[in-house]
mmCIF file with all atom_site columns, all heavy atoms in Angstrom:
data_model
loop_
_atom_site.group_PDB
_atom_site.id
_atom_site.type_symbol
_atom_site.label_atom_id
_atom_site.label_alt_id
_atom_site.label_comp_id
_atom_site.label_asym_id
_atom_site.label_entity_id
_atom_site.label_seq_id
_atom_site.pdbx_PDB_ins_code
_atom_site.Cartn_x
_atom_site.Cartn_y
_atom_site.Cartn_z
_atom_site.occupancy
_atom_site.B_iso_or_equiv
_atom_site.pdbx_formal_charge
_atom_site.auth_seq_id
_atom_site.auth_comp_id
_atom_site.auth_asym_id
_atom_site.auth_atom_id
_atom_site.pdbx_PDB_model_num
ATOM   1  N  N   . LYS A 1 239 ? -3.717  17.453 -13.070 1.00 99.00 ? 308  LYS A N   1
ATOM   2  C  CA  . LYS A 1 239 ? -4.549  17.835 -14.249 1.00 99.00 ? 308  LYS A CA  1
ATOM   3  C  C   . LYS A 1 239 ? -5.808  16.947 -14.254 1.00 99.00 ? 308  LYS A C   1
ATOM   4  O  O   . LYS A 1 239 ? -5.709  15.708 -14.428 1.00 99.00 ? 308  LYS A O   1
ATOM   5  C  CB  . LYS A 1 239 ? -3.739  17.653 -15.519 1.00 99.00 ? 308  LYS A CB  1
ATOM   6  C  CG  . LYS A 1 239 ? -4.543  17.838 -16.790 1.00 99.00 ? 308  LYS A CG  1
ATOM   7  C  CD  . LYS A 1 239 ? -3.708  17.781 -18.084 1.00 99.00 ? 308  LYS A CD  1
ATOM   8  C  CE  . LYS A 1 239 ? -4.567  17.664 -19.329 1.00 99.00 ? 308  LYS A CE  1
ATOM   9  N  NZ  . LYS A 1 239 ? -3.771  17.561 -20.569 1.00 99.00 ? 308  LYS A NZ  1
ATOM   10 N  N   . ASP A 1 244 ? -10.669 15.001 -23.064 1.00 98.00 ? 313  ASP A N   1
ATOM   11 C  CA  . ASP A 1 244 ? -9.990  16.023 -23.889 1.00 98.00 ? 313  ASP A CA  1
ATOM   12 C  C   . ASP A 1 244 ? -10.291 15.728 -25.335 1.00 98.00 ? 313  ASP A C   1
ATOM   13 O  O   . ASP A 1 244 ? -9.715  14.916 -26.001 1.00 98.00 ? 313  ASP A O   1
ATOM   14 C  CB  . ASP A 1 244 ? -8.488  16.015 -23.648 1.00 98.00 ? 313  ASP A CB  1
ATOM   15 C  CG  . ASP A 1 244 ? -7.719  17.071 -24.403 1.00 98.00 ? 313  ASP A CG  1
ATOM   16 O  OD1 . ASP A 1 244 ? -8.410  17.983 -25.027 1.00 98.00 ? 313  ASP A OD1 1
ATOM   17 O  OD2 . ASP A 1 244 ? -6.493  17.025 -24.394 1.00 98.00 ? 313  ASP A OD2 1
ATOM   18 N  N   . ASP A 1 262 ? -7.297  11.705 -19.584 1.00 98.00 ? 331  ASP A N   1
ATOM   19 C  CA  . ASP A 1 262 ? -6.639  13.061 -19.443 1.00 98.00 ? 331  ASP A CA  1
ATOM   20 C  C   . ASP A 1 262 ? -6.891  13.648 -18.043 1.00 98.00 ? 331  ASP A C   1
ATOM   21 O  O   . ASP A 1 262 ? -6.347  14.716 -17.776 1.00 98.00 ? 331  ASP A O   1
ATOM   22 C  CB  . ASP A 1 262 ? -7.161  13.964 -20.532 1.00 98.00 ? 331  ASP A CB  1
ATOM   23 C  CG  . ASP A 1 262 ? -6.068  14.919 -21.008 1.00 98.00 ? 331  ASP A CG  1
ATOM   24 O  OD1 . ASP A 1 262 ? -4.859  14.547 -20.824 1.00 98.00 ? 331  ASP A OD1 1
ATOM   25 O  OD2 . ASP A 1 262 ? -6.348  15.994 -21.532 1.00 98.00 ? 331  ASP A OD2 1
ATOM   26 N  N   . ASP A 1 321 ? -6.130  22.552 -27.880 1.00 98.00 ? 390  ASP A N   1
ATOM   27 C  CA  . ASP A 1 321 ? -5.757  21.217 -27.367 1.00 98.00 ? 390  ASP A CA  1
ATOM   28 C  C   . ASP A 1 321 ? -4.665  21.345 -26.323 1.00 98.00 ? 390  ASP A C   1
ATOM   29 O  O   . ASP A 1 321 ? -4.377  20.374 -25.630 1.00 98.00 ? 390  ASP A O   1
ATOM   30 C  CB  . ASP A 1 321 ? -5.313  20.377 -28.543 1.00 98.00 ? 390  ASP A CB  1
ATOM   31 C  CG  . ASP A 1 321 ? -5.377  18.880 -28.179 1.00 98.00 ? 390  ASP A CG  1
ATOM   32 O  OD1 . ASP A 1 321 ? -5.862  18.543 -27.095 1.00 98.00 ? 390  ASP A OD1 1
ATOM   33 O  OD2 . ASP A 1 321 ? -4.954  18.096 -29.033 1.00 98.00 ? 390  ASP A OD2 1
ATOM   34 N  N   . GLU A 1 323 ? -4.807  22.530 -23.450 1.00 99.00 ? 392  GLU A N   1
ATOM   35 C  CA  . GLU A 1 323 ? -5.687  23.033 -22.371 1.00 99.00 ? 392  GLU A CA  1
ATOM   36 C  C   . GLU A 1 323 ? -5.158  22.778 -20.969 1.00 99.00 ? 392  GLU A C   1
ATOM   37 O  O   . GLU A 1 323 ? -5.438  23.482 -20.042 1.00 99.00 ? 392  GLU A O   1
ATOM   38 C  CB  . GLU A 1 323 ? -7.108  22.429 -22.553 1.00 99.00 ? 392  GLU A CB  1
ATOM   39 C  CG  . GLU A 1 323 ? -7.282  21.005 -21.952 1.00 99.00 ? 392  GLU A CG  1
ATOM   40 C  CD  . GLU A 1 323 ? -6.392  19.909 -22.583 1.00 99.00 ? 392  GLU A CD  1
ATOM   41 O  OE1 . GLU A 1 323 ? -5.978  20.154 -23.755 1.00 99.00 ? 392  GLU A OE1 1
ATOM   42 O  OE2 . GLU A 1 323 ? -6.133  18.888 -21.973 1.00 99.00 ? 392  GLU A OE2 1
ATOM   43 N  N   . THR A 1 348 ? -1.070  14.520 -17.619 1.00 98.00 ? 417  THR A N   1
ATOM   44 C  CA  . THR A 1 348 ? -0.928  13.902 -18.965 1.00 98.00 ? 417  THR A CA  1
ATOM   45 C  C   . THR A 1 348 ? -0.819  15.112 -19.928 1.00 98.00 ? 417  THR A C   1
ATOM   46 O  O   . THR A 1 348 ? -1.793  15.433 -20.597 1.00 98.00 ? 417  THR A O   1
ATOM   47 C  CB  . THR A 1 348 ? -2.131  13.058 -19.323 1.00 98.00 ? 417  THR A CB  1
ATOM   48 O  OG1 . THR A 1 348 ? -3.311  13.850 -19.023 1.00 98.00 ? 417  THR A OG1 1
ATOM   49 C  CG2 . THR A 1 348 ? -2.159  11.824 -18.515 1.00 98.00 ? 417  THR A CG2 1
HETATM 50 ZN ZN1 . LIG B 2 .   ? -5.107  17.208 -22.396 1.00 70.28 ? 1469 LIG B ZN1 1
#
Side-chain angles (χ1 to χ4, degrees):
K308 171 176 170 182
D313 183 9
D331 217 22
D390 199 6
E392 82 299 337
T417 49

